[in-house]
Amino acid sequence: MAVIHHTTLSPTKLELLTTWLPAQPWYRSTGQQPELARTGGFRLDDPKGEVGIEFMVVTDTSGAQPAKYQVLFSYRGAPLPGADDALIGTTEHGVLGQRWVYDGAHDPVVVAQLLALVVGEAEPQMQSTSDTPDPSVTARLDEPGITAEVASFTTTDAPDGTAILVTTAPDGRELTLHLNRVLQPGQNANGQALGHVTAPAPLPDGTTAPTTFVEVHAHP
């Protein structure tokens, strides 16, 4: 289980995102500098305990209407080879020292654990509490027999979100894990989806609604 350290980060995650978010193809530009707040999310554990994995809901209030984004973080103690384009930034952690922060959709450890969550072999964890499962996060897959081992994957960012094409091992099945980067609280999965990951997203009145964070589709 991951240990959550309540300590300092310099720069903070939100400070890193202020620069990184506007450069993403799915960001809804307001013409202003983002004004960001963390408004939800959950974590997954790396079985080897080396990589931090966090799904964060970030609300940007710089426009006329607040926009809610899903950011998938990976936190590493050393650079991830070949992933320079996915680097969000580096930060100094008060306990762990320098950390390299990546867009987790391009990190093989994160993709493996996301697939494990979808097939029921990983348990979502509370965002800010160590060793505590988060029952508000649910995953479903209506396709039997899919293994949680990733043989290979490719990630594509587009205006409608991020698509992770996964080939499983040893059966060679191909699935697309589609990350809904712009969250619509209360949004359900597409009727053609094989499965989904659902978690709370904030509503204007301060409550939350179950919302589709990830959709699973058969690769054509």
Side-chain angles (χ1 to χ4, degrees):
M1 294 287 186
V3 175
I4 308 301
H5 298 281
H6 296 283
T7 185
T8 58
L9 279 178
S10 181
T12 67
K13 300 172 201 177
L14 295 180
E15 287 170 341
L16 291 175
L17 290 179
T18 297
T19 301
W20 182 80
L21 264 181
Q24 306 315 303
W26 36 265
Y27 178 71
R28 306 299 190 245
S29 177
T30 65
Q32 307 292 327
Q33 179 172 294
E35 298 177 10
L36 304 178
R38 187 182 77 169
T39 51
F42 62 97
R43 291 180 181 261
L44 294 176
D45 284 334
D46 170 14
K48 295 184 179 180
E50 297 175 354
V51 178
I53 304 171
E54 181 179 8
F55 294 70
M56 182 186 288
V57 180
V58 178
T59 299
D60 180 10
T61 57
S62 64
Q65 297 293 330
K68 300 168 182 66
Y69 297 98
Q70 176 186 183
V71 179
L72 178 48
F73 286 114
S74 73
Y75 308 107
R76 287 176 166 266
L80 175 62
D84 289 352
D85 289 346
L87 183 67
I88 296 175
T90 59
T91 186
E92 191 69 21
H93 189 282
V95 176
L96 301 175
Q98 188 172 19
R99 307 295 285 172
W100 281 258
V101 182
Y102 290 93
D103 178 3
H106 299 262
D107 188 315
V109 172
V110 178
V111 172
Q113 289 310 107
L114 175 56
L115 180 62
L117 174 64
V118 167
V119 303
E121 296 184 12
E123 187 173 35
Q125 302 292 307
M126 297 290 289
Q127 188 175 27
S128 301
T129 307
S130 300
D131 300 342
T132 306
D134 187 344
S136 70
V137 181
T138 59
R140 194 200 79 208
L141 183 65
D142 294 333
E143 188 82 2
I146 294 177
T147 60
E149 184 177 349
V150 176
S152 63
F153 75 95
T154 57
T155 299
T156 304
D157 292 298
D160 68 340
T162 299
I164 307 172
L165 174 59
V166 173
T167 302
T168 65
D171 53 359
R173 292 289 302 277
E174 290 188 327
L175 298 173
T176 298
L177 309 179
H178 186 272
L179 304 182
N180 291 326
R181 294 292 201 165
V182 181
L183 296 173
Q184 305 292 337
Q187 178 182 8
N188 294 320
N190 184 299
Q192 302 299 315
L194 296 177
H196 57 79
V197 176
T198 298
L203 293 167
D205 64 1
T207 62
T208 62
T211 302
T212 300
F213 279 48
V214 183
E215 292 186 5
V216 184
H217 294 273
H219 185 63

